[in-house]
Amino acid sequence: MKVWFHALAATLLASALWMQFTRQRAPASTDLQSSLTQALLRAGYTPEGAHERIGGEHIMSFTRPDCATPMRIVLIPTLHRDSTQAVMAAQNGGPPPVYIYRGEPVAGPSFWSVTPPWLARQLRAAFALGPEISAWDAALLAVFEPQDCAEKPIEWPR
Amino acid sequence: MRASTVFGWLLVFVAAQWAAYKFAGYGPVSAPSELFDIFSVLEIIELALIWRLFDHKAALPQISALEGVALLFASTTVMIAGARKPMLAAAAISFIVFARFSLIPAFRLAAAAQLAFIAQFALLGWPFLQFHNFVGRIDGFFVRAFFRAKSVDIAGAGTYVLRPAQNIGFDIMWGCATTTTLIPNLFGFFIITLGMRRRLVKTDIVWAVLIAISTAPLNWLRLLLICRNNDSYVFWHEGTGAAIFAALYAGLVLGAVHSALRTGERP
């Protein structure tokens, strides 16, 4: 029995798993929520009401003194996931949302509208040509924006 | 040193990355019973049989200590480089194991089986999502046709099944399309049959086809139950219902393995 080989293998496995664990733990979904809330606070909005969770998705409401109806946002923390339930709950019969990916509006939550910018960023980061990958690279926003308070643009978190 | 020592440890590395992938997709675990939601019984049996697959009776093949250490370090490097993508790391280690151990006759089947074990997750991954979405469109067509035949409120197109009166909607994407359950079922059948009998025979295809024919109606039944109302969605999509279907599929696959082993032994 090669005891030294077992010891080496166990040490390598344990250290690699430990490195994976600490690196994966870094981007928590609360970071996404707090950076989204801060961007909206800068645009004059304040959080309103309880923050709901449907499945893995967060539904948040924000309001501003010049808006009659609050703005509802569904934060979808993982791309290409089944978020229909949460989006329909937030829509509640009203007009459809505007989808925002990394600060830019995209055509919809479909695979093809999100994949090109996502893939471009992943490739640029892989070849060290672009900024580092952040938690926002895998997050999509469905924004139900009231018509009457659309003047002041919001700087969506990237 | 013995080649089985190195193979065993590399199999543990692959399994660890596979487990990391499963945990990363699930989120924080609060109770031990949740482990049954994360790992499928079939996958555990497959891993156990892959270890059993290499020929323990063959004259112990040897591998140089230097090469064993090099294989361990190569796998560790892959794990650290692919820290955010555990399944990619598992696939890379699995490929290293296949490239080296398929050269040793006693390990050929086990090396192929562990590559197939990881390949089934690759088939559920990115470039194949388009294929699963296409199958999801067909599933959506059947589910909507059923509700329409029962003259229940129904809307949606493509992969979407919407129930306006119930205020629910469901997107039959890659996660719930028939092929998403069919691929693990078929791989499970072939890996377990290979593990039990150490070879595959032509008649196994009959049982694989039977699994495919039974998986489709079972998945459509689950989709109908999911789209019935909100309580039903929660039960059959994330709750006990999902576990019931997993148990049904496991029973189906193990039953097919049992039948294949009985009928396939005859020359």
Side-chain angles (χ1 to χ4, degrees):
Chain A
M1 268 299 164
K2 302 269 183 186
V3 179
W4 64 268
F5 188 81
H6 292 297
L8 176 68
T11 313
L12 287 176
L13 181 65
S15 51
L17 285 178
W18 175 249
M19 283 181 80
Q20 283 190 335
F21 178 69
T22 47
R23 252 195 263 181
Q24 272 173 358
R25 209 175 38 173
S29 65
T30 46
D31 294 342
L32 294 179
Q33 283 172 57
S34 63
S35 68
L36 178 62
T37 309
Q38 272 161 25
L40 285 152
L41 283 173
R42 277 197 295 276
Y45 285 92
T46 45
E48 192 212 59
H51 143 209
E52 300 167 59
R53 270 197 79 165
I54 293 192
E57 275 66 276
H58 305 266
I59 304 183
M60 288 168 275
S61 291
F62 295 91
T63 189
R64 217 163 65 180
D66 56 336
C67 301
T69 49
M71 179 166 67
R72 307 203 80 193
I73 298 176
V74 183
L75 171 57
I76 303 161
T78 313
L79 286 185
H80 313 143
R81 226 172 64 178
D82 182 23
S83 54
T84 328
Q85 291 270 317
V87 174
M88 277 194 58
Q91 187 173 0
N92 205 11
V98 178
Y99 287 97
I100 305 281
Y101 176 66
R102 292 205 61 93
E104 305 287 340
V106 288
S110 76
F111 181 79
W112 287 117
S113 55
V114 181
T115 301
W118 177 83
L119 202 57
R121 275 189 63 84
Q122 295 283 329
L123 286 174
R124 255 180 283 150
F127 294 103
L129 298 169
E132 256 195 76
I133 300 295
S134 82
W136 280 102
D137 277 298
L140 185 69
L141 296 174
V143 181
F144 297 90
E145 194 171 18
Q147 290 293 316
D148 56 334
C149 46
E151 305 102 40
K152 193 178 175 187
I154 302 160
E155 271 188 42
W156 295 110
R158 282 156 183 276
Chain B
M1 67 168 57
R2 275 150 65 176
S4 59
T5 312
V6 183
F7 180 80
W9 267 109
L10 291 176
L11 200 60
V12 170
F13 277 33
V14 171
Q17 290 304 282
W18 163 75
Y21 161 80
K22 288 268 170 172
F23 279 121
Y26 189 79
V29 181
S30 51
S33 65
E34 286 183 40
L35 292 175
F36 292 106
D37 298 339
I38 303 175
F39 300 106
S40 106
V41 175
L42 285 181
E43 289 161 0
I44 307 284
I45 298 175
E46 284 165 46
L47 276 177
L49 287 178
I50 289 169
W51 171 248
R52 199 175 158 272
L53 245 184
F54 81 82
D55 195 352
H56 291 259
K57 289 192 205 104
L60 292 171
Q62 297 287 312
I63 200 167
S64 80
L66 192 67
E67 195 184 351
V69 172
L71 284 169
L72 282 189
F73 272 99
S75 306
T76 311
T77 311
V78 165
M79 278 166 77
I80 292 168
R84 283 185 188 282
K85 300 262 183 262
M87 191 39 77
L88 209 62
I93 302 171
S94 181
F95 197 79
I96 293 172
V97 173
F98 179 75
R100 179 62 190 92
F101 285 89
S102 61
L103 301 175
I104 308 172
F107 285 91
R108 193 162 289 152
L109 282 178
Q114 61 85 32
L115 190 67
F117 177 79
I118 293 302
Q120 66 178 316
F121 297 99
L123 285 175
L124 299 176
W126 175 55
F128 302 100
L129 298 186
Q130 290 301 308
F131 168 67
H132 298 301
N133 285 353
F134 173 74
V135 176
R137 293 174 90 90
I138 300 171
D139 294 336
F141 174 80
F142 278 104
V143 172
R144 283 193 302 271
F146 180 85
F147 279 115
R148 222 170 267 132
K150 280 185 73 187
S151 54
V152 188
D153 70 294
I154 190 81
T159 56
Y160 284 95
V161 177
L162 306 177
R163 300 286 312 279
Q166 300 283 342
N167 196 23
I168 59 165
F170 190 70
D171 189 0
I172 309 172
M173 292 195 310
W174 47 273
C176 286
T178 299
T179 39
T180 324
T181 38
L182 185 58
I183 287 174
N185 284 358
L186 287 180
F187 273 78
F189 169 73
F190 282 119
I191 293 174
I192 296 173
T193 309
L194 183 66
M196 297 298 288
R197 200 206 277 132
R198 289 173 190 278
R199 67 196 167 91
L200 293 174
V201 294
K202 270 183 190 158
T203 49
D204 290 345
I205 294 169
V206 176
W207 300 103
V209 170
L210 276 175
I211 288 177
I213 293 172
S214 337
T215 300
L218 273 174
N219 193 50
W220 289 338
L221 176 66
R222 175 163 176 254
L223 290 172
L224 288 174
L225 292 167
I226 284 172
C227 298
R228 203 164 56 144
N229 57 42
N230 199 45
D231 289 344
S232 192
Y233 171 89
V234 170
F235 184 80
W236 293 103
H237 191 258
E238 9 235 289
T240 319
I244 292 174
F245 270 94
L248 278 177
Y249 288 132
L252 176 72
V253 170
L254 294 178
V257 169
H258 179 74
S259 313
L261 290 180
R262 269 192 359 187
T263 54
E265 285 302 331
R266 295 185 204 124

